[in-house]
Amino acid sequence: MPGLCTSLLILAFTTSSVADVGDFTPCLQFFYRSWPPKGLAGTPICQRYNNTYHFATLYSRPRRSPWLSAYLYTVPTGKRPKASWKYEPQLAYPAADGNMMPFLPGPVDQNVVESQAVELDYINSTYSRGHLNPSLHHQTYQCRSSTFTLTNVVPQKKWSNDGPWEILEQTVNKTLAAYCLGEAYIVTGIIPYQKDEHWIKNRVAVPEYLWSAYCCPKYNHTIPNRLKDAFPTFAAIGRNDPNSTEEIVPIDKTAKKQFRGYDVRQMSLNSLEMYLKDRFNTVVSVFNEQCA
């Protein structure tokens, strides 16, 4: 695995002229073969923190939450950073500095409130802030800190976020750290409700499911049999609503009560794309040529 967080430094004198919202061109290195997923419409964000690109997000302005985030995995070190939540200035002001900015004490600029989720949306709601790109999958403190932006999180039930979904993130971390020999490209996204969208505070859309997939073209071929289906691609879908039907992800009735209904189902990339096609009514391709 590469030793450092893969990122792209932006020279300081060009900072004011760089548009980080609306075009993935400056951050194509976070996609396998520089090829963003196809089939989903939204607002591209090249996620910039301290003048460095760290990952990419396809954002939904109407939902005030992301469709997906794409990033390069690096073996994590150190402790999880303290959550310092940030926002994307260019969603509110296209000519603004493209660096994500921390929420400061006091009232939030109304243009920011209108353009994206803010901390008040999540406070006293029944949802946690669920990372699509988790800090666990990055090596340096700066890379890990960059994931704490509300444009990278969705409303996620606590018992999903702290239960089966967290276990999935840890499993992916251990698998890639042990057996992926080159770059590992990860895309994590959401599946909306088919009808009757759910919202927090009538502002931020809640997903019915989360999904994740990785592409590791170069891997150790002496992997154990139990991981034969985990390379070069792997995918999973997790429940975010215990009352959802079981066609996509069945419920393990023997799970601990608090985690019951938040199951994660591992599957092939083909199966994931089939479920995405069914829900979005269009062909969705996560990786170029399925990471062939």
Side-chain angles (χ1 to χ4, degrees):
M1 288 302 303
L4 298 173
C5 172
T6 304
S7 52
L8 181 64
L9 181 65
I10 307 299
L11 295 178
F13 64 81
T14 67
T15 297
S16 62
S17 62
V18 174
D20 297 325
V21 171
D23 188 359
F24 279 138
T25 300
C27 56
L28 287 173
Q29 75 269 26
F30 300 114
F31 302 102
Y32 175 61
R33 290 185 178 167
S34 302
W35 195 88
K38 301 295 186 283
L40 299 178
T43 299
I45 300 176
C46 287
Q47 298 279 14
R48 180 155 41 120
Y49 179 55
N50 288 345
N51 285 332
T52 302
Y53 290 129
H54 290 282
F55 62 104
T57 296
L58 186 66
Y59 194 75
S60 170
R61 289 178 181 267
R63 299 172 63 86
R64 294 191 180 92
S65 60
W67 287 119
L68 59 84
S69 283
Y71 58 99
L72 278 162
Y73 168 84
T74 48
V75 180
T77 57
K79 294 182 178 179
R80 172 186 166 114
K82 182 181 177 182
S84 174
W85 292 102
K86 295 170 277 291
Y87 66 94
E88 175 51 62
Q90 289 190 355
L91 285 173
Y93 297 98
D97 185 334
N99 284 292
M100 58 182 75
M101 300 295 291
F103 287 101
L104 300 175
V108 180
D109 181 296
Q110 194 57 33
N111 280 19
V112 173
V113 173
E114 290 300 320
S115 65
Q116 58 202 285
V118 296
E119 288 187 292
L120 275 175
D121 290 319
Y122 286 89
I123 293 171
N124 295 326
S125 78
T126 60
Y127 291 90
S128 67
R129 286 167 264 213
H131 284 70
L132 295 188
N133 172 11
S135 72
L136 174 66
H137 288 177
H138 299 284
Q139 185 173 63
T140 69
Y141 185 86
Q142 179 163 293
C143 291
R144 301 183 85 174
S145 298
S146 73
T147 67
F148 289 88
T149 168
L150 291 187
T151 56
N152 177 49
V153 304
V154 296
Q156 186 177 9
K157 283 294 188 180
K158 172 181 171 60
W159 297 119
S160 164
N161 202 359
D162 295 344
W165 193 257
E166 181 181 31
I167 292 171
L168 173 73
E169 291 174 342
Q170 292 171 345
T171 300
V172 168
N173 173 45
K174 291 174 183 175
T175 302
L176 293 177
Y179 300 106
C180 190
L181 302 178
E183 304 283 18
Y185 299 86
I186 303 182
V187 182
T188 299
I190 66 99
I191 298 177
Y193 284 87
Q194 205 151 22
K195 51 188 177 183
D196 300 327
E197 285 275 25
H198 292 42
W199 300 81
I200 52 173
K201 303 185 180 179
N202 294 314
R203 281 181 36 85
V204 183
V206 177
E208 186 175 15
Y209 299 93
L210 282 76
W211 61 266
S212 187
Y214 67 66
C215 161
C216 169
K218 186 179 179 183
Y219 57 93
N220 187 334
H221 285 266
T222 62
I223 52 176
N225 283 332
R226 62 183 175 81
L227 291 175
K228 291 295 185 187
D229 292 333
F231 289 95
T233 61
F234 168 91
I237 297 178
R239 301 171 61 94
N240 195 37
D241 185 339
N243 299 312
S244 294
T245 59
E246 298 187 55
E247 287 92 348
I248 298 177
V249 184
I251 294 174
D252 177 5
K253 306 297 192 297
T254 66
K256 286 185 178 179
K257 187 175 180 182
Q258 67 265 39
F259 301 130
R260 199 172 301 153
Y262 296 110
D263 305 72
V264 171
R265 177 185 166 197
Q266 299 180 13
M267 62 186 66
S268 68
L269 180 62
N270 264 335
S271 294
L272 169 65
E273 291 182 341
M274 178 193 72
Y275 287 119
L276 295 177
K277 179 183 178 182
D278 184 60
R279 185 57 60 97
F280 287 100
N281 293 313
T282 188
V283 174
V284 177
S285 299
V286 180
F287 299 114
N288 178 257
E289 295 183 352
Q290 292 196 312
C291 185

